[in-house]
Amino acid sequence: MARRSEEYLSPEIVNRGVEGSGPYAGSPSFSVRVHRGLPDFLSSVNLKYVKLGYGYLINHGFYLAWLPILLLVFSTQVGKLTWDVFHLEYYSLVNTLVFMGFLSLFLYVCLDLTPRATYLVDFACYLPPNELKITRDEYLELAKKSGQFNEKSLEFQQRVLKTSGIGNETYLPRVVFRPGYTKDLTVGREEAAASMFGAVDELITTTGIRPKDIRILIVNCGVLNTTPSLSAMVINRYKLRHTIQSYNLGGMGCAAGITAVDLADDLLKAYPGSYALIVSTEVVSFTWYGGNELDMLLPNCFFRMGAAAVLLSNNRLERWRSKYQLKHLVRTHKGMDDRSYRSIHLKEDAGGKQGLSVSKDVMEVGGHALKANITTLGPLVLPVSEQFHFFKSLVWKKSNSSKPYIPDYKLAFEHVCILATSKKALDEMQKNLDLTDEYMQASRETLERFGNTSSSSIWYELAYLEAKSKIKKGDRVWQLALGSGFKCNSAVWKAVRTVKQQNRKPWKEN
């Protein structure tokens, strides 16, 4: 039994010998036998991603690396001075250094050459109305009455919901259970408007930001893409400025929220001192599938209504009221691999009904993307001691059959927000990353209370940490999201102040 469990979580390379015919005759042939579940992170480490991580680190610290060199040159020149020359030219030297210091400060401030940090001023999550709450039993009852599913499909959904980790207070629009329901643009726009505007209204009320002060707008939604776009809906609703830098990200799945943060960070560098508004959502009435293909029924069981609005800025005056500073962001894309590319995709079944297909390989595909992402992230966040043990294990790897040392990521972060996909996925990630129950609490509580809200899920989790008064000044928060493509994205935030208990939505309903 132990052996079979180990194989279940590991890929296996099989030597098939030498091709006997065809264009590759005489060439060695290999195949990969894969097993469902996350891959064993201890079995292999791709040095390509380790090098990439250190490349990020070197680029980020490029200017600081020059400081020791300048000090060395300066000390060398001072060493050439004799005492007689030194005391004669002392005042001239000091005056020159002071002048150069003030000149450098003047140029940096007046020409705005100092690097600007990106701050998370605040964020808000949408809390749907109580009439949209749905229990697991009510879901199954309505699904049966809808006439959309046969007995086999209903039994499958019942089994999935039982082990999903989703509770009895998630939110789902009842229109999807209407007999003969088909995707309707009017219904989709109404759901998108309710979710997006609910989150943005809460954010504007909390921060006091004037809509005309927002320079950058990024909206991401996976399945629903309308004309005019969802970002245009937000512009029209809040009468944003005509020079707004507007972007609409579609089809990028659950990892799109961090992709939007990355884009906003780049745009803020181009428009220093500005405000960027990010709106992340998913329209459940457009992800719903009313057929009997089992691989297309999983999103029905997990996806629930939700949205988040996030306000970012690199205005230095905003630091005093901001909550977090963006420290690192690493994005990994495995779309070059066919299995990864096809693991989650929108398709039509034989009857022409559209839905999201989730392949049986998605757990392992996600595991490989996660392994590549955290291997790249490691050099940026891990303490030196952990990196030393890791490299020591790599050096001895060729002469030692033991598995490489996997760093303890708990030493790099005080809090972790992993996308609340499913209980099984969270269990596997906790096991492979060796995280405690406390680290997983925000993700599990969010999954139970709100279900999988797609790209906005990581913000519901951060809101949970704030509601429980867990965020202290200096704490590091790791947001981790995976999505179709296949993508794995990480964002690391540092709390610039202790966040007092947040008695507001979504964790406080009244």
Side-chain angles (χ1 to χ4, degrees):
M1 291 296 293
R3 175 61 181 167
R4 293 181 65 181
S5 175
E6 179 182 345
E7 290 182 349
Y8 178 78
L9 296 175
S10 303
E12 179 184 358
I13 300 178
V14 180
N15 188 345
R16 299 174 58 185
V18 178
E19 291 284 350
S21 62
Y24 302 105
S27 301
S29 175
F30 298 89
S31 64
V32 179
R33 184 180 301 160
V34 295
H35 309 272
R36 300 177 195 173
L38 290 183
D40 184 359
F41 286 9
L42 297 175
S43 62
S44 65
V45 175
N46 195 326
L47 290 178
K48 174 176 67 175
Y49 300 111
V50 178
K51 291 170 61 179
L52 184 59
Y54 279 99
Y56 288 158
L57 185 64
I58 292 172
N59 289 335
H60 291 170
F62 176 78
Y63 296 105
L64 291 178
W66 281 99
L67 186 59
I69 299 175
L70 293 176
L71 290 175
L72 179 62
V73 172
F74 175 74
S75 61
T76 303
Q77 294 301 316
V78 171
K80 294 180 180 179
L81 297 176
T82 63
W83 175 253
D84 293 334
V85 175
F86 182 77
H87 84 273
L88 291 174
E89 298 187 3
Y90 173 77
Y91 292 106
S92 176
L93 178 64
V94 171
N95 290 335
T96 301
L97 291 175
V98 171
F99 173 76
M100 293 300 294
F102 277 107
L103 179 61
S104 299
L105 181 62
F106 173 80
L107 290 174
Y108 268 75
V109 173
C110 294
L111 299 180
D112 199 25
L113 298 178
T114 52
R116 288 176 175 265
T118 295
Y119 295 103
L120 195 165
V121 180
D122 210 338
F123 66 99
C125 298
Y126 173 58
L127 181 65
N130 285 332
E131 55 265 27
L132 294 181
K133 280 187 178 180
I134 189 168
T135 66
R136 293 190 297 269
D137 290 340
E138 185 181 4
Y139 174 99
L140 293 170
E141 181 182 350
L142 292 174
K144 186 175 183 178
K145 290 181 179 179
S146 71
Q148 300 176 29
F149 312 104
N150 58 29
E151 286 298 321
K152 182 179 179 181
S153 298
L154 289 170
E155 292 174 0
F156 175 78
Q157 293 179 80
Q158 184 177 20
R159 291 197 308 271
V160 171
L161 285 171
K162 186 177 180 179
T163 59
S164 65
I166 292 177
N168 289 315
E169 292 189 311
T170 59
Y171 301 90
L172 200 62
R174 297 300 190 274
V175 67
V176 299
F177 296 106
R178 188 176 61 200
Y181 170 75
T182 56
K183 293 177 175 60
D184 186 301
L185 269 178
T186 301
V187 173
R189 285 193 176 102
E190 289 175 354
E191 182 188 338
S195 300
M196 294 191 303
F197 300 161
V200 176
D201 287 346
E202 178 77 12
L203 181 65
I204 291 176
T205 301
T206 303
T207 61
I209 184 77
R210 297 179 301 178
K212 68 178 184 179
D213 292 333
I214 297 172
R215 182 69 180 271
I216 299 162
L217 171 66
I218 303 171
V219 176
N220 70 270
C221 180
V223 177
L224 177 63
N225 289 286
T226 67
T227 302
S229 65
L230 297 182
S231 59
M233 288 175 59
V234 176
I235 293 171
N236 178 260
R237 166 64 180 254
Y238 297 98
K239 309 305 177 187
L240 302 183
R241 61 203 294 178
H242 70 277
T243 57
I244 188 81
Q245 298 296 309
S246 172
Y247 296 85
N248 198 90
L249 306 181
M252 302 193 74
C254 300
I258 296 181
T259 302
V261 172
D262 191 22
L263 177 57
D265 183 42
D266 288 340
L267 290 170
L268 286 170
K269 291 181 175 66
Y271 299 95
S274 302
Y275 294 95
L277 172 63
I278 297 173
V279 183
S280 297
T281 190
E282 188 57 83
V283 178
V284 181
S285 57
F286 257 67
T287 64
W288 183 262
Y289 170 66
N292 296 300
E293 295 289 336
L294 301 188
D295 63 313
M296 299 171 71
L297 287 171
L298 287 174
N300 290 4
C301 301
F302 291 103
F303 279 145
R304 296 294 184 266
M305 293 180 66
V310 183
L311 184 64
L312 302 179
S313 179
N314 61 359
N315 188 330
R316 296 190 182 92
L317 297 178
E318 284 294 341
R319 189 187 189 282
W320 70 272
R321 69 163 179 164
S322 296
K323 292 181 176 179
Y324 308 93
Q325 179 184 346
L326 181 63
K327 302 299 291 185
H328 305 289
L329 198 149
V330 175
R331 294 167 55 191
T332 303
H333 206 303
K334 305 291 284 186
M336 71 293 295
D337 173 66
D338 288 342
R339 278 200 314 139
S340 298
Y341 175 72
R342 297 191 180 99
S343 60
I344 301 176
H345 66 283
L346 189 67
K347 73 172 189 179
E348 293 181 347
D349 64 11
K353 296 179 179 178
Q354 191 181 83
L356 282 170
S357 171
V358 181
S359 77
K360 296 178 180 180
D361 297 327
V362 70
M363 289 288 288
E364 187 190 354
V365 163
H368 286 299
L370 174 62
K371 181 169 66 173
N373 186 269
I374 64 175
T375 305
T376 305
L377 181 68
L380 300 174
V381 298
L382 289 170
V384 176
S385 59
E386 287 298 293
Q387 297 189 44
F388 172 76
H389 290 306
F390 174 69
F391 271 104
K392 185 174 70 172
S393 71
L394 288 181
V395 171
W396 290 96
K397 183 179 178 182
K398 293 183 179 180
S399 58
N400 193 339
S401 60
S402 63
K403 295 177 179 179
Y405 176 80
I406 297 299
D408 185 0
Y409 283 86
K410 297 188 295 294
L411 299 176
F413 311 106
E414 283 70 41
H415 311 284
V416 177
C417 299
I418 300 175
L419 183 77
T421 50
S422 68
K423 182 180 182 298
K424 181 180 179 181
L426 293 178
D427 288 344
E428 291 289 345
M429 283 190 272
Q430 179 177 7
K431 176 184 176 182
N432 279 277
L433 294 175
D434 192 27
L435 297 175
T436 64
D437 291 340
E438 184 179 1
Y439 275 93
M440 299 298 296
Q441 185 177 9
S443 298
R444 295 191 186 279
E445 291 291 336
T446 298
L447 178 64
E448 180 182 2
R449 174 65 180 83
F450 295 100
N452 183 347
T453 60
S454 190
S455 58
S456 64
S457 175
I458 53 176
W459 299 109
Y460 283 82
E461 294 165 22
L462 186 55
Y464 174 84
L465 294 173
E466 292 185 353
K468 300 301 180 181
S469 302
K470 293 181 177 291
I471 303 295
K472 310 299 180 184
K473 183 178 180 180
D475 281 1
R476 297 155 298 178
V477 182
W478 179 20
Q479 288 183 318
L480 177 66
L482 299 95
S484 59
F486 196 92
K487 300 179 289 294
C488 180
N489 296 338
S490 289
V492 179
W493 305 90
K494 184 176 181 179
V496 297
R497 60 181 173 89
T498 297
V499 180
K500 297 180 181 179
Q501 186 176 17
Q502 302 292 293
N503 293 319
R504 69 184 202 207
K505 300 175 181 178
W507 293 97
K508 182 177 177 59
E509 298 190 23
N510 300 314

